Amino acid sequence: MRFHSPQKLKTIADLIGSKFVGPEDFEVLGSNEIHMVKPGEIVFVNHPKYYDKALNSAATIILIDKEVECPEGKALLVSDDPFRDFNKINTHFTRIYNFTEELHDVEIGDGTKVHSSAVIGNNVKIGKNCLIFPNVVIGDRTEIGDNVIIQSGTVLGGDAFYYRKLDGNFDRLISVGNVIIENNVEIGNNCTIDRGVTDSTIIGEGSVLDNQIQVGHDTVIGKKCLIASQVGIAGCCIIEDEVTIWGQAGIASGLRIASGTVLLAKVGVNRDLEKGTYFGIIAEDFKGYLKKEVKLRNLK
Protein backbone atom coordinates (compact mmCIF):
# COMPACT_ATOMS: atom_id res chain seq x y z
CA MET A 1 0.00 0.00 0.00
CA ARG A 2 1.43 3.34 -1.04
CA PHE A 3 0.45 6.42 0.93
CA HIS A 4 -1.16 9.27 -1.00
CA SER A 5 1.91 11.36 -0.22
CA PRO A 6 5.31 10.56 1.37
CA GLN A 7 5.45 10.66 5.18
CA LYS A 8 8.28 11.23 7.65
CA LEU A 9 9.55 8.59 10.07
CA LYS A 10 8.72 10.77 13.09
CA THR A 11 5.16 11.29 11.82
CA ILE A 12 4.60 7.54 11.69
CA ALA A 13 6.26 7.03 15.08
CA ASP A 14 4.01 9.69 16.63
CA LEU A 15 0.95 8.08 15.05
CA ILE A 16 1.59 4.75 16.78
CA GLY A 17 3.43 6.07 19.85
CA SER A 18 6.62 4.17 19.16
CA LYS A 19 10.33 4.83 19.45
CA PHE A 20 12.20 5.20 16.17
CA VAL A 21 15.76 4.61 15.03
CA GLY A 22 16.90 6.76 12.12
CA PRO A 23 16.60 10.40 11.02
CA GLU A 24 13.23 11.89 11.96
CA ASP A 25 12.74 13.12 8.38
CA PHE A 26 13.47 9.66 6.90
CA GLU A 27 10.97 9.21 4.04
CA VAL A 28 8.22 6.59 4.33
CA LEU A 29 6.25 5.77 1.18
CA GLY A 30 3.87 3.07 2.35
CA SER A 31 3.50 -0.33 4.04
CA ASN A 32 3.42 -3.91 2.82
CA GLU A 33 3.71 -7.57 3.75
CA ILE A 34 7.16 -9.07 3.58
CA HIS A 35 6.56 -11.07 0.37
CA MET A 36 5.44 -7.92 -1.48
CA VAL A 37 7.39 -5.14 0.24
CA LYS A 38 9.28 -2.55 -1.79
CA PRO A 39 11.92 0.07 -0.94
CA GLY A 40 10.45 2.96 1.01
CA GLU A 41 7.79 0.80 2.66
CA ILE A 42 7.21 -0.48 6.20
CA VAL A 43 7.17 -4.18 6.99
CA PHE A 44 6.30 -5.56 10.45
CA VAL A 45 7.92 -8.38 12.37
CA ASN A 46 7.05 -9.63 15.85
CA HIS A 47 9.06 -12.84 16.29
CA PRO A 48 12.86 -13.31 16.56
CA LYS A 49 12.62 -16.19 14.07
CA TYR A 50 11.82 -13.67 11.32
CA TYR A 51 14.01 -10.71 12.36
CA ASP A 52 16.74 -11.41 9.80
CA LYS A 53 14.25 -11.93 7.00
CA ALA A 54 12.55 -8.61 7.72
CA LEU A 55 15.77 -6.66 8.28
CA ASN A 56 17.26 -8.00 5.05
CA SER A 57 14.10 -7.61 2.98
CA ALA A 58 13.42 -4.86 0.45
CA ALA A 59 11.67 -2.91 3.21
CA THR A 60 13.32 0.36 4.19
CA ILE A 61 11.46 0.71 7.50
CA ILE A 62 11.06 -2.24 9.87
CA LEU A 63 8.31 -2.16 12.50
CA ILE A 64 9.76 -4.47 15.16
CA ASP A 65 9.15 -5.45 18.78
CA LYS A 66 12.74 -5.11 19.93
CA GLU A 67 15.48 -2.59 19.28
CA VAL A 68 18.17 -4.29 17.21
CA GLU A 69 21.06 -3.11 15.10
CA CYS A 70 19.60 -1.18 12.19
CA PRO A 71 20.94 -2.01 8.73
CA GLU A 72 22.59 0.84 6.88
CA GLY A 73 20.17 2.95 4.87
CA LYS A 74 17.14 1.69 6.81
CA ALA A 75 15.12 2.79 9.84
CA LEU A 76 13.32 1.08 12.72
CA LEU A 77 9.99 1.67 14.43
CA VAL A 78 10.22 -0.06 17.82
CA SER A 79 6.80 -1.12 19.11
CA ASP A 80 5.52 -3.35 21.91
CA ASP A 81 2.97 -4.76 19.42
CA PRO A 82 3.92 -4.45 15.73
CA PHE A 83 0.82 -6.37 14.55
CA ARG A 84 -1.49 -3.87 16.28
CA ASP A 85 0.48 -0.88 15.07
CA PHE A 86 0.67 -2.15 11.49
CA ASN A 87 -3.14 -2.19 11.55
CA LYS A 88 -3.16 1.32 13.01
CA ILE A 89 -0.90 2.68 10.27
CA ASN A 90 -2.82 0.97 7.47
CA THR A 91 -6.27 2.05 8.60
CA HIS A 92 -5.07 5.61 9.20
CA PHE A 93 -4.09 5.96 5.55
CA THR A 94 -6.83 3.76 4.03
CA ARG A 95 -10.33 4.22 5.35
CA ILE A 96 -12.39 1.07 5.88
CA TYR A 97 -16.03 1.49 4.81
CA ASN A 98 -17.39 -2.10 4.77
CA PHE A 99 -20.52 -0.97 2.87
CA THR A 100 -21.60 1.27 5.75
CA GLU A 101 -21.66 4.49 3.71
CA GLU A 102 -23.27 5.65 0.49
CA LEU A 103 -21.71 4.73 -2.82
CA HIS A 104 -19.14 7.21 -4.15
CA ASP A 105 -16.29 7.46 -6.64
CA VAL A 106 -17.47 4.60 -8.83
CA GLU A 107 -16.47 4.56 -12.50
CA ILE A 108 -18.41 2.37 -14.93
CA GLY A 109 -17.36 2.16 -18.59
CA ASP A 110 -19.53 2.37 -21.70
CA GLY A 111 -21.54 -0.72 -22.56
CA THR A 112 -21.22 -2.27 -19.10
CA LYS A 113 -24.38 -3.74 -17.58
CA VAL A 114 -24.67 -4.13 -13.81
CA HIS A 115 -27.71 -5.95 -12.40
CA SER A 116 -29.71 -3.89 -9.92
CA SER A 117 -29.12 -6.45 -7.15
CA ALA A 118 -25.34 -6.18 -7.35
CA VAL A 119 -23.65 -4.34 -4.47
CA ILE A 120 -20.72 -2.06 -5.26
CA GLY A 121 -18.39 -0.51 -2.70
CA ASN A 122 -16.43 2.72 -2.79
CA ASN A 123 -13.64 3.76 -5.15
CA VAL A 124 -14.48 1.00 -7.62
CA LYS A 125 -13.57 1.07 -11.32
CA ILE A 126 -15.36 -1.12 -13.88
CA GLY A 127 -14.29 -1.03 -17.52
CA LYS A 128 -16.19 -1.18 -20.80
CA ASN A 129 -18.58 -3.90 -22.01
CA CYS A 130 -18.64 -5.83 -18.74
CA LEU A 131 -21.53 -7.96 -17.52
CA ILE A 132 -22.18 -8.09 -13.76
CA PHE A 133 -24.81 -10.70 -12.84
CA PRO A 134 -27.32 -10.64 -9.94
CA ASN A 135 -26.10 -10.64 -6.33
CA VAL A 136 -22.47 -9.95 -7.13
CA VAL A 137 -20.59 -8.05 -4.40
CA ILE A 138 -17.71 -5.80 -5.45
CA GLY A 139 -15.70 -4.51 -2.51
CA ASP A 140 -13.97 -1.18 -2.01
CA ARG A 141 -11.10 -0.22 -4.33
CA THR A 142 -11.71 -3.10 -6.74
CA GLU A 143 -10.55 -2.49 -10.32
CA ILE A 144 -12.17 -4.40 -13.19
CA GLY A 145 -10.95 -4.19 -16.79
CA ASP A 146 -12.88 -4.36 -20.06
CA ASN A 147 -15.03 -7.24 -21.35
CA VAL A 148 -15.24 -8.95 -17.97
CA ILE A 149 -18.06 -11.32 -16.98
CA ILE A 150 -18.82 -11.89 -13.29
CA GLN A 151 -21.60 -14.36 -12.59
CA SER A 152 -24.10 -14.50 -9.74
CA GLY A 153 -23.11 -14.66 -6.11
CA THR A 154 -19.42 -13.93 -6.60
CA VAL A 155 -17.67 -11.72 -4.04
CA LEU A 156 -14.68 -9.65 -5.05
CA GLY A 157 -12.70 -7.97 -2.30
CA GLY A 158 -13.67 -9.77 0.89
CA ASP A 159 -11.32 -9.61 3.89
CA ALA A 160 -8.12 -11.64 3.89
CA PHE A 161 -7.99 -14.71 6.11
CA TYR A 162 -5.06 -13.48 8.20
CA TYR A 163 -5.18 -13.74 12.00
CA ARG A 164 -3.04 -14.09 15.08
CA LYS A 165 -4.10 -15.59 18.39
CA LEU A 166 -4.23 -13.00 21.16
CA ASP A 167 -5.45 -13.66 24.72
CA GLY A 168 -7.24 -16.78 23.56
CA ASN A 169 -9.04 -15.04 20.71
CA PHE A 170 -8.35 -14.43 17.02
CA ASP A 171 -7.20 -10.95 16.05
CA ARG A 172 -7.49 -9.94 12.37
CA LEU A 173 -4.85 -8.22 10.28
CA ILE A 174 -7.06 -5.65 8.57
CA SER A 175 -7.12 -5.78 4.76
CA VAL A 176 -6.44 -2.45 3.05
CA GLY A 177 -5.43 -3.83 -0.35
CA ASN A 178 -7.69 -4.51 -3.32
CA VAL A 179 -8.63 -6.87 -6.14
CA ILE A 180 -7.66 -6.26 -9.77
CA ILE A 181 -9.48 -8.14 -12.53
CA GLU A 182 -7.77 -7.61 -15.88
CA ASN A 183 -9.40 -7.51 -19.34
CA ASN A 184 -11.38 -10.41 -20.82
CA VAL A 185 -11.66 -12.39 -17.59
CA GLU A 186 -14.69 -14.60 -16.86
CA ILE A 187 -15.58 -15.53 -13.29
CA GLY A 188 -18.28 -18.09 -12.50
CA ASN A 189 -20.94 -18.30 -9.81
CA ASN A 190 -20.22 -18.10 -6.08
CA CYS A 191 -16.49 -17.47 -6.31
CA THR A 192 -14.71 -15.59 -3.52
CA ILE A 193 -11.62 -13.53 -4.29
CA ASP A 194 -10.13 -11.87 -1.23
CA ARG A 195 -8.49 -8.47 -1.45
CA GLY A 196 -4.84 -8.08 -0.61
CA VAL A 197 -3.83 -7.24 2.93
CA THR A 198 -1.69 -4.34 1.76
CA ASP A 199 -1.32 -5.02 -1.96
CA SER A 200 -3.44 -6.44 -4.81
CA THR A 201 -4.98 -9.83 -5.53
CA ILE A 202 -4.82 -10.08 -9.33
CA ILE A 203 -6.63 -12.21 -11.91
CA GLY A 204 -4.70 -11.94 -15.18
CA GLU A 205 -6.01 -11.07 -18.61
CA GLY A 206 -8.03 -13.74 -20.40
CA SER A 207 -8.25 -16.13 -17.44
CA VAL A 208 -11.45 -18.11 -16.86
CA LEU A 209 -12.67 -19.26 -13.45
CA ASP A 210 -15.45 -21.81 -12.97
CA ASN A 211 -17.89 -21.80 -10.03
CA GLN A 212 -17.11 -21.94 -6.29
CA ILE A 213 -13.44 -21.05 -6.40
CA GLN A 214 -11.59 -19.44 -3.49
CA VAL A 215 -8.60 -17.18 -4.19
CA GLY A 216 -6.69 -15.97 -1.14
CA HIS A 217 -5.25 -12.55 -0.42
CA ASP A 218 -2.37 -11.16 -2.50
CA THR A 219 -2.41 -14.13 -4.86
CA VAL A 220 -1.54 -13.32 -8.47
CA ILE A 221 -3.07 -15.46 -11.21
CA GLY A 222 -1.46 -15.01 -14.62
CA LYS A 223 -2.87 -14.61 -18.09
CA LYS A 224 -5.13 -17.21 -19.79
CA CYS A 225 -5.34 -19.56 -16.84
CA LEU A 226 -8.23 -22.05 -16.69
CA ILE A 227 -9.47 -23.00 -13.23
CA ALA A 228 -12.26 -25.54 -12.62
CA SER A 229 -14.79 -25.62 -9.80
CA GLN A 230 -14.05 -25.90 -6.08
CA VAL A 231 -10.37 -25.06 -6.37
CA GLY A 232 -8.87 -23.45 -3.28
CA ILE A 233 -5.81 -21.22 -3.65
CA ALA A 234 -4.33 -19.84 -0.45
CA GLY A 235 -2.88 -16.37 -0.06
CA CYS A 236 0.35 -15.01 -1.54
CA CYS A 237 0.60 -17.54 -4.38
CA ILE A 238 1.93 -16.84 -7.86
CA ILE A 239 0.11 -18.80 -10.56
CA GLU A 240 1.97 -18.05 -13.77
CA ASP A 241 0.45 -17.78 -17.28
CA GLU A 242 -1.61 -20.51 -18.99
CA VAL A 243 -1.86 -22.78 -15.97
CA THR A 244 -4.78 -25.24 -15.91
CA ILE A 245 -6.18 -26.32 -12.53
CA TRP A 246 -8.89 -28.96 -12.39
CA GLY A 247 -11.62 -29.47 -9.78
CA GLN A 248 -11.00 -29.54 -6.03
CA ALA A 249 -7.27 -28.93 -6.26
CA GLY A 250 -5.76 -27.16 -3.26
CA ILE A 251 -2.69 -24.93 -3.18
CA ALA A 252 -0.93 -23.94 0.05
CA SER A 253 0.12 -20.35 0.72
CA GLY A 254 3.12 -18.61 -0.75
CA LEU A 255 3.76 -21.04 -3.62
CA ARG A 256 4.65 -20.50 -7.28
CA ILE A 257 3.22 -22.61 -10.12
CA ALA A 258 5.20 -22.36 -13.38
CA SER A 259 3.63 -21.31 -16.68
CA GLY A 260 1.93 -24.07 -18.65
CA THR A 261 1.50 -26.40 -15.68
CA VAL A 262 -1.56 -28.69 -15.42
CA LEU A 263 -2.90 -29.67 -12.00
CA LEU A 264 -5.30 -32.59 -12.25
CA ALA A 265 -8.36 -33.01 -10.03
CA LYS A 266 -7.86 -33.10 -6.24
CA VAL A 267 -4.14 -32.36 -6.40
CA GLY A 268 -2.64 -31.09 -3.17
CA VAL A 269 0.22 -28.63 -3.78
CA ASN A 270 2.67 -28.11 -0.90
CA ARG A 271 5.72 -26.75 -2.76
CA ASP A 272 6.69 -24.69 -5.81
CA LEU A 273 6.12 -26.58 -9.06
CA GLU A 274 8.06 -26.50 -12.32
CA LYS A 275 6.15 -26.90 -15.59
CA GLY A 276 4.51 -30.31 -15.84
CA THR A 277 1.33 -32.30 -15.20
CA TYR A 278 0.67 -33.28 -11.60
CA PHE A 279 -1.66 -35.61 -9.72
CA GLY A 280 -2.08 -36.96 -6.20
CA ILE A 281 -2.84 -35.77 -2.70
CA ILE A 282 0.75 -34.54 -2.52
CA ALA A 283 1.42 -33.37 -6.08
CA GLU A 284 3.66 -35.66 -8.09
CA ASP A 285 4.46 -36.00 -11.78
CA PHE A 286 1.46 -37.65 -13.42
CA LYS A 287 3.45 -40.17 -15.52
CA GLY A 288 5.48 -41.13 -12.46
CA TYR A 289 2.26 -41.55 -10.50
CA LEU A 290 0.84 -43.94 -13.12
CA LYS A 291 4.05 -46.00 -13.19
CA LYS A 292 3.97 -46.27 -9.41
CA GLU A 293 0.33 -47.42 -9.50
CA VAL A 294 1.16 -50.13 -12.08
CA LYS A 295 4.04 -51.41 -9.91
CA LEU A 296 1.85 -51.48 -6.80
CA ARG A 297 -0.85 -53.44 -8.59
CA ASN A 298 1.69 -55.97 -9.81
CA LEU A 299 2.99 -56.68 -6.30
CA LYS A 300 1.52 -60.12 -5.76
Side-chain angles (χ1 to χ4, degrees):
M1 177 189 73
R2 287 277 165 148
F3 302 148
H4 293 301
S5 59
Q7 304 294 312
K8 303 302 181 185
L9 183 64
K10 187 178 186 305
T11 303
I12 303 298
D14 289 346
L15 172 66
I16 61 177
S18 76
K19 181 179 177 181
F20 64 90
V21 177
E24 64 178 44
D25 62 349
F26 195 95
E27 191 172 66
V28 186
L29 302 179
S31 66
N32 225 326
E33 292 183 88
I34 195 162
H35 62 286
M36 304 289 284
V37 72
K38 305 172 189 69
E41 295 178 339
I42 302 166
V43 71
F44 85 92
V45 60
N46 56 1
H47 195 290
K49 180 179 178 181
Y50 302 108
Y51 283 176
D52 286 345
K53 184 176 181 180
L55 291 164
N56 295 313
S57 71
T60 310
I61 304 94
I62 297 88
L63 175 59
I64 191 168
D65 59 356
K66 179 182 179 181
E67 188 170 343
V68 296
E69 185 176 350
C70 183
E72 185 177 353
K74 300 193 178 188
L76 304 179
L77 292 161
V78 184
S79 162
D80 64 323
D81 190 342
F83 189 103
R84 176 201 66 208
D85 288 338
F86 195 68
N87 270 339
K88 188 179 292 186
I89 292 166
N90 290 338
T91 54
H92 178 82
F93 290 100
T94 301
R95 187 173 177 185
I96 304 298
Y97 294 99
N98 289 331
F99 303 101
T100 58
E101 297 191 20
E102 291 296 320
L103 189 71
H104 73 282
D105 293 337
V106 174
E107 300 178 16
I108 298 179
D110 294 340
T112 287
K113 299 186 182 303
V114 180
H115 192 272
S116 60
S117 65
V119 178
I120 302 177
N122 299 290
N123 302 312
V124 169
K125 297 179 181 179
I126 303 176
K128 299 176 183 178
N129 302 315
C130 297
L131 187 58
I132 311 299
F133 280 57
N135 300 315
V136 168
V137 178
I138 301 175
D140 294 349
R141 302 178 299 283
T142 298
E143 299 178 16
I144 298 173
D146 299 334
N147 308 309
V148 171
I149 297 172
I150 303 173
Q151 297 194 35
S152 298
T154 283
V155 178
L156 305 180
D159 287 330
F161 188 71
Y162 194 135
Y163 293 84
R164 65 169 174 175
K165 202 157 190 180
L166 181 67
D167 300 327
N169 297 307
F170 293 107
D171 182 28
R172 180 191 293 276
L173 191 63
I174 298 170
S175 305
V176 296
N178 73 339
V179 170
I180 297 174
I181 308 296
E182 295 184 350
N183 297 338
N184 304 309
V185 167
E186 296 187 20
I187 300 176
N189 299 288
N190 295 320
C191 294
T192 48
I193 300 175
D194 294 344
R195 67 181 181 264
V197 172
T198 49
D199 214 291
S200 298
T201 303
I202 301 173
I203 310 298
E205 183 174 0
S207 288
V208 178
L209 279 63
D210 193 5
N211 305 322
Q212 298 178 319
I213 292 167
Q214 158 68 14
V215 179
H217 67 89
D218 297 292
T219 281
V220 177
I221 293 175
K223 301 180 188 303
K224 297 183 179 178
C225 292
L226 186 68
I227 304 179
S229 65
Q230 298 184 359
V231 165
I233 303 173
C236 310
C237 290
I238 305 293
I239 311 298
E240 295 183 357
D241 298 343
E242 300 184 20
V243 170
T244 299
I245 306 176
W246 293 111
Q248 297 186 339
I251 302 173
S253 64
L255 301 182
R256 179 179 290 270
I257 309 298
S259 295
T261 293
V262 177
L263 303 180
L264 299 176
K266 296 189 176 183
V267 161
V269 181
N270 66 343
R271 66 193 187 282
D272 293 349
L273 295 180
E274 298 297 326
K275 182 178 179 180
T277 300
Y278 296 87
F279 187 63
I281 196 161
I282 297 178
E284 54 186 306
D285 174 74
F286 184 49
K287 288 184 179 179
Y289 175 88
L290 292 177
K291 289 178 181 178
K292 180 186 72 175
E293 287 296 304
V294 169
K295 289 180 180 178
L296 288 173
R297 293 188 182 198
N298 289 333
L299 288 177
K300 292 183 180 179

